[in-house]
Amino acid sequence: QQPVQSPQAVILREGEDAVINCSSSKALYSVHWYRQKHGEAPVFLMILLKGGEQKGHDKISASFNEKKQQSSLYLTASQLSYSGTYFCGTGTNYGGATNKLIFGTGTLLAVQP
Amino acid sequence: DGGITQSPKYLFRKEGQNVTLSCEQNLNHDAMYWYRQDPGQGLRLIYYSQIVNDFQKGDIAEGYSVSREKKESFPLTVTSAQKNPTAFYLCASSTRASLAHNEQFFGPGTRLTVL
């Protein structure tokens, strides 16, 4: 089942904050976050794991609520370069390994001067 | 420079023709993936390979085929059985098969248009 992202789109002024949410109907082991600019490849931002471990970007923070099966990405003091579509990819644990991700439909973020 | 290359960037084919999309990586990654991206639908997994000479179907494998004869190469063939092949195709790789701790690195993509 594809995770649900909200909001679908958001427009910000430079310096404003935004939160992007990702919810799954399945128990999650890990959540990946990627950003994609139009016509380009997605770029890795963060991995969050069950148990609290994180790996990723210094200037972006995120949370992972295992009980609620959801993750949130926090973009603070947004810059023009933050514009793009943000995807979460959720991983469940198959026999001790997460070997594929299911991606959400994306959140379009536009930062204006 | 290390990375993932996909060729060509744009590809046009007539309906009913098979077409093969190239994906090469020089990152020495074990695992490779193919995704399809349509407007408003995010990334959907077609096939993935955790090791040479082995691959598994993803969520939308019908009408596609792959091979993994070399660690660095994972070509995708879009066959005439794929009912709606026009899409943006992304190849990705990761250090290890387990994505719990390993991020995916994406290639620049191939935009396939079937006329």
Side-chain angles (χ1 to χ4, degrees):
Chain A
Q1 189 96 21
Q2 194 172 26
V4 176
Q5 289 186 232
S6 63
Q8 289 186 322
V10 58
I11 300 174
L12 299 174
R13 295 282 184 192
E14 265 189 297
E16 292 181 339
D17 302 338
V19 180
I20 300 173
N21 301 301
C22 174
S23 296
S24 174
S25 58
K26 290 188 173 181
L28 298 179
Y29 185 81
S30 63
V31 179
H32 289 219
W33 285 97
Y34 294 83
R35 176 172 61 215
Q36 183 181 31
K37 295 188 180 289
H38 184 69
E40 298 181 6
V43 173
F44 168 74
L45 295 175
M46 293 197 75
I47 295 175
L48 301 105
L49 295 172
K50 187 175 180 178
E53 187 178 345
Q54 294 187 7
K55 171 184 175 181
H57 205 290
D58 289 340
K59 296 185 179 179
I60 293 175
S61 63
S63 64
F64 181 15
N65 188 318
E66 298 166 21
K67 286 186 178 179
K68 292 185 177 180
Q69 296 168 185
Q70 67 184 33
S71 176
S72 296
L73 187 70
Y74 304 97
L75 303 168
T76 57
S78 58
Q79 305 170 18
L80 295 176
S81 61
Y82 286 11
S83 294
T85 301
Y86 290 76
F87 292 99
C88 67
T90 56
T92 53
N93 198 330
Y94 299 97
T98 298
N99 52 20
K100 65 176 185 177
L101 300 175
I102 301 175
F103 283 91
T105 53
T107 294
L108 178 63
L109 177 73
V111 180
Q112 297 179 341
Chain B
D1 289 337
I4 301 175
T5 57
Q6 291 186 245
S7 61
K9 190 173 177 64
Y10 298 95
L11 189 56
F12 297 88
R13 279 294 182 269
K14 290 184 179 179
E15 195 172 343
Q17 290 182 335
N18 290 356
V19 60
T20 297
L21 310 184
S22 167
C23 177
E24 303 279 330
Q25 54 99 358
N26 60 2
L27 300 167
N28 199 32
H29 285 177
D30 287 342
M32 297 186 74
Y33 311 82
W34 273 106
Y35 291 94
R36 170 183 172 135
Q37 188 172 30
D38 296 283
Q41 294 196 43
L43 305 170
R44 292 185 291 167
L45 183 64
I46 304 172
Y47 269 98
Y48 62 105
S49 168
Q50 299 178 72
I51 196 169
V52 175
N53 293 321
D54 186 46
F55 49 83
Q56 288 78 40
K57 292 182 179 180
D59 302 314
I60 56 164
E62 185 176 351
Y64 300 97
S65 66
V66 293
S67 63
R68 185 91 185 273
E69 297 176 1
K70 298 185 294 183
K71 187 175 185 178
E72 60 269 25
S73 179
F74 191 40
L76 173 75
T77 296
V78 184
T79 74
S80 56
Q82 167 51 232
K83 295 178 182 177
N84 186 19
T86 294
F88 187 48
Y89 291 88
L90 286 161
C91 178
S93 69
S94 64
T95 309
R96 297 287 180 267
S98 173
L99 294 171
H101 295 86
N102 300 296
E103 67 266 37
Q104 291 187 324
F105 294 81
F106 286 85
T110 292
R111 190 168 296 278
L112 174 65
T113 302
V114 176
L115 306 171

